[in-house]
């Protein structure tokens, strides 16, 4: 081989080596997440989901890109945030709450969606729990079943309660179902229900109504848009000496009387497991929706004492956590 030909061949090989090395760089998957609430209030996502990603070896920023978007308590912004994530070519969308999941469903029929919904079948997100049938799978909190239980627990803890307010989001079909079930069960428990909307345009009027002396108990439903309002609700119920039950475990740690809900930390861990399986090639249509079976009851005895309540021993015995 002539020296000139050898130099030319060597130069071409040296140019090709970086190109080949570049071509072999693994593609880092991109996961999109949309939360209708305020950044920093999604504590179970931040802990449970990230732990669930770490378990199979994902390191955010290294071998996984996590694109987080927050509507900051303005649910009407969710569709635009989802559209933004889709333009980034995310590999999976993660959508807590039925309204956000429905918005994602309207936005794409091809990008896999991992949803967290109280009733994904009733909301039309999946065909069935066993066979979702489309681009959506995830977890069912069965929270539609909690509504009556919230009333029963509140009545057991505070037998004198009669007129109960229910904070709910009329745009969320899961909470709408909860309210309907509670309205049917209320007379049998000796209760009268007043539904108070948490829509942005109506929320101030709802809180004003909550301060009325005729109401003597409160149920907070589990729509994600309510999470930022919990501190305000806890303060108001303390001021009004009003027993209340919440769907978020950390509410009792903040001073709320009681909470009854799914174990959201474990649910988010499982959601991360779905993301992992999809990134490894599984199709959402073939991943059955999981139903939660891990429900926790938490009671704050300090708050009960401040309200003048003597919590029954049987109720305390069934609690997962009692704060004294």
């Amino acid at each position: 081989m002539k020296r000139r030909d050898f130099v030319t061949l060597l130069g071409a090989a040296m140019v090709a080596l970086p190109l080949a090395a570049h071509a072999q760089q693994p593609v880092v998957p991109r996961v999109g997440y949309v939360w209708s609430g305020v950044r920093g209030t999604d504590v179970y996502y931040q802990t449970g989901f990230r732990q669930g990603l770490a378990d199979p070896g994902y390191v955010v920023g290294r071998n996984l890109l996590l694109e987080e978007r927050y509507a900051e308590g303005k649910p009407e912004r969710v569709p635009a945030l989802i559209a933004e994530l889709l333009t980034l070519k995310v590999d999976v969308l993660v959508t807590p709450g039925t309204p956000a999941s429905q918005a994602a469903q309207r936005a794409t029929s091809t990008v896999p969606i991992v949803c967290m919904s109280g009733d994904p079948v009733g909301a039309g997100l999946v065909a069935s729990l066993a066979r979702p049938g489309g681009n959506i799978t995830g977890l069912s909190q069965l929270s539609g079943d909690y509504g009556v239980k919230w009333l029963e627990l509140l009545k057991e803890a505070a037998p004198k309660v009669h007129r109960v307010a229910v904070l709910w989001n009329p745009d969320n079909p899961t909470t709408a179902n909860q309210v309907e079930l509670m309205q049917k069960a209320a007379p049998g428990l000796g209760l009268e229900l007043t539904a108070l909307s948490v829509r942005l345009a109506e929320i101030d009027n709802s809180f004003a109504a909550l301060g009325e002396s005729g109401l003597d108990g409160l149920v907070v439903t589990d729509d994600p848009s309510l999470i930022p309002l919990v501190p305000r609700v806890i303060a108001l119920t303390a001021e009004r000496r009003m027993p209340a039950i919440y769907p978020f475990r950390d509410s009792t740690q903040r001073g709320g009387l009681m909470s009854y809900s799914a174990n959201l930390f474990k649910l988010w861990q499982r959601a991360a497991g779905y993301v992992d399986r999809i990134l490894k090639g599984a199709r959402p249509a073939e991943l059955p929706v999981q139903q939660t079976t891990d429900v926790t009851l938490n009671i704050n005895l300090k708050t009960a004492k401040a309200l003048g309540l003597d919590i029954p021993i049987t109720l305390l015995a069934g609690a997962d956590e009692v704060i004294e």
Side-chain angles (χ1 to χ4, degrees):
M1 180 181 293
K2 294 181 179 179
R3 182 175 181 277
R4 181 183 300 173
D5 293 337
F6 176 76
V7 171
T8 302
L9 180 61
L10 181 61
M14 292 180 67
V15 170
L17 279 173
L19 292 175
H22 179 74
Q24 292 173 2
Q25 290 295 316
V27 176
V28 178
R30 192 183 297 264
V31 176
Y33 164 81
V34 180
W35 175 248
S36 62
V38 177
R39 184 183 295 272
T41 60
D42 49 349
V43 290
Y44 297 109
Y45 157 78
Q46 294 294 344
T47 53
F49 187 69
R50 287 175 178 267
Q51 180 62 56
L53 289 175
D55 291 339
Y58 292 105
V59 179
V60 175
R62 182 181 302 172
N63 60 356
L64 181 79
L65 297 178
L66 192 53
E67 301 285 353
E68 299 173 335
R69 298 294 184 272
Y70 293 85
E72 302 295 334
K74 298 178 180 178
E76 66 276 8
R77 293 183 55 202
V78 168
L81 296 176
I82 290 172
E84 180 182 332
L85 290 172
L86 292 175
T87 63
L88 296 177
K89 307 295 183 184
V90 294
D91 298 285
V92 185
L93 271 174
V94 179
T95 54
T98 299
S101 300
Q102 290 175 323
Q105 182 184 41
R106 291 189 292 269
T108 179
S109 60
T110 55
V111 175
I113 298 168
V114 175
C115 76
M116 186 94 69
S117 171
D119 182 7
V121 176
L125 295 169
V126 298
S128 70
L129 298 180
R131 298 181 180 274
N135 63 318
I136 302 177
T137 187
L139 299 114
S140 171
Q141 297 169 243
L142 291 177
S143 57
D145 298 341
Y146 298 164
V148 176
K149 188 67 175 178
W150 288 329
L151 288 182
E152 292 172 347
L153 290 169
L154 184 63
K155 186 68 174 179
E156 187 175 355
K160 295 181 180 180
V161 164
H162 178 60
R163 293 194 61 204
V164 176
V166 180
L167 285 181
W168 72 309
N169 177 5
D171 298 322
N172 186 334
T174 299
T175 54
N177 182 54
Q178 289 170 347
V179 172
E180 182 179 351
L181 292 174
M182 283 189 279
Q183 286 173 332
K184 291 178 180 178
L189 295 169
L191 300 174
E192 295 179 8
L193 257 59
T194 300
L196 301 177
S197 170
V198 293
R199 285 190 181 123
L200 194 60
E202 302 166 297
I203 193 167
D204 286 336
N205 290 336
S206 293
F207 272 98
L210 190 58
E212 292 179 358
S213 58
L215 297 170
D216 55 10
L218 174 67
V219 173
V220 179
T221 56
D222 59 0
D223 184 86
S225 65
L226 280 162
I227 292 179
L229 302 176
V230 167
R232 183 178 173 187
V233 173
I234 291 173
L236 180 59
T237 53
E239 178 185 328
R240 301 294 306 178
R241 294 179 57 80
M242 181 184 294
I245 186 165
Y246 301 83
F248 314 114
R249 179 181 179 181
D250 61 328
S251 302
T252 51
Q253 297 165 346
R254 296 182 179 188
L257 174 63
M258 306 170 65
S259 68
Y260 182 80
S261 69
N263 188 321
L264 295 177
F265 180 89
K266 290 185 178 180
L267 278 179
W268 274 114
Q269 278 188 307
R270 293 176 188 170
Y274 274 102
V275 169
D276 177 45
R277 293 171 68 181
I278 290 170
L279 292 178
K280 290 176 178 174
R283 297 173 60 241
E286 299 169 352
L287 295 175
V289 174
Q290 290 187 34
Q291 292 178 296
T292 180
T293 56
D294 192 349
V295 182
T296 63
L297 170 64
N298 306 281
I299 300 172
N300 189 317
L301 278 184
K302 183 178 179 180
T303 300
K305 183 178 180 180
L307 295 172
L309 298 176
D310 187 12
I311 304 296
I313 295 296
T314 52
L315 195 55
L316 293 173
D320 296 272
E321 181 182 25
V322 176
I323 299 173
E324 300 187 59

